[in-house]
Amino acid sequence: MGGSHKRSAAYGPVHGLLPADTTEDVRTRGAGVSRQIAVLPVGSFEQHGPFLPLATDTLVACAIAREIADAYPVHLLPPVTISCSHEHAAWPGTVSLSSTTLHAVVRDIADSLRRSDVDTLVLVNGHGGNYVLGNAVQESSARGERMALFPAPEDWETACERAGVATSLLTDMHAGEIETSILLHTHPELLRPGYETSDHIADDRRHLLTLGMSAYTDSGVIGRPSLGSPEKGKDLLASLTDSFGTYFSLLTSDT
């Protein structure tokens, strides 16, 4: 390949995203808990402006799920890396599944886990456009199956307050302060230059589902990535890990 087409080693594949557990690790970890819980990171493969990788949502979901697995006796699953990113289709590199397919994938994973005596599934969602995950949890709960969606907006609000994030959740919609901070903490080598000067605000996005992201941003950014810092990223993850404690208690209770 010519030099202009070579992929920079600095921005190569991310190692360590897949769990390295053996089946004995899973058996040992689950021996002392009343209920077996699996944690499934769900990301996306979509544009995140000129400075964050297409896999940003997957990296964020994996970072949250990894912290949870370090703090609680849960079974960490490999991520779903492509999801519902149709609003980002105007940008090269974005790939999407239909909501029907994503719903079916989650349902199949939950069914498979139950066959191996893991009866509870937590979806750690890294992409706001995955609306169907909420429906999957609703339907599973109505069938008497244990499933949860994490983090909730309230968990993010608590985390932002704890981390000193200045941007509201409304403004920090995509490739902003939160995502930039988490990647600065977990994968700083993956950020390209430019996040310091890429702020773009578009709080009124009432026609987003009809028009897509390109109606509201030329760069693909909606938020203030210039405010991102690794310290904020660390504190965001720590707060979310603490917030998961309530979910763990709820999911392992007998009620």
Side-chain angles (χ1 to χ4, degrees):
M1 295 177 64
S4 61
H5 298 289
K6 289 182 179 178
R7 185 186 301 274
S8 169
Y11 306 117
V14 182
H15 300 288
L17 286 182
L18 297 180
D21 283 348
T22 67
T23 188
E24 289 304 315
D25 293 329
V26 176
R27 181 178 288 117
T28 301
R29 186 184 307 111
V33 295
S34 60
R35 191 175 296 274
Q36 304 296 310
I37 299 177
V39 173
L40 177 67
V42 183
S44 72
F45 201 72
E46 65 187 37
Q47 71 82 20
H48 275 77
F51 54 87
L52 290 178
L54 294 162
T56 290
D57 287 342
T58 299
L59 295 171
V60 169
C62 285
I64 297 169
R66 219 168 31 241
E67 294 285 335
I68 289 172
D70 285 343
Y72 303 90
V74 298
H75 176 30
L76 179 61
L77 300 175
V80 175
T81 58
I82 297 176
S83 60
C84 302
S85 300
H86 311 284
E87 69 273 27
H88 299 276
W91 281 270
T94 298
V95 184
S96 288
L97 300 176
S98 71
S99 59
T100 304
T101 299
L102 182 57
H103 188 289
V105 168
V106 169
R107 179 75 183 272
D108 284 355
I109 290 171
D111 288 346
S112 177
L113 287 165
R114 281 192 294 275
R115 287 193 290 272
S116 60
D117 297 323
V118 179
D119 64 354
T120 304
L121 178 62
V122 177
L123 309 177
V124 175
N125 183 33
H127 172 48
N130 289 336
Y131 310 110
V132 71
L133 296 182
N135 299 124
V137 172
Q138 285 178 320
E139 293 167 15
S140 293
S141 298
R143 290 191 297 268
E145 302 160 2
R146 296 211 176 196
M147 189 180 291
L149 183 61
F150 182 81
E154 293 84 356
D155 300 313
W156 278 116
E157 289 172 357
T158 298
C160 287
E161 181 177 356
R162 175 169 162 180
V165 170
T167 317
S168 71
L169 291 181
L170 172 66
T171 298
D172 194 70
M173 188 261 184
H174 192 71
E177 185 177 2
I178 291 174
E179 291 180 321
T180 299
S181 292
I182 291 176
L183 262 68
L184 282 170
H185 171 56
T186 59
H187 298 287
E189 74 280 2
L190 297 182
L191 272 78
R192 310 292 176 100
Y195 73 88
E196 305 90 341
T197 57
S198 293
D199 291 3
H200 176 71
I201 307 302
D203 284 352
D204 186 347
R205 304 183 296 269
R206 70 188 72 187
H207 304 299
L208 175 67
L209 297 182
T210 301
L211 301 175
M213 284 280 289
S214 60
Y216 298 97
T217 172
D218 293 330
S219 67
V221 176
I222 297 180
R224 301 178 67 187
S226 68
L227 299 179
S229 74
E231 294 78 17
K232 290 178 183 178
K234 181 179 180 181
D235 289 343
L236 284 164
L237 292 176
S239 178
L240 291 173
T241 303
D242 290 344
S243 292
F244 185 76
T246 303
Y247 293 74
F248 185 80
S249 296
L250 175 67
L251 293 170
T252 55
S253 69
D254 293 329
T255 57

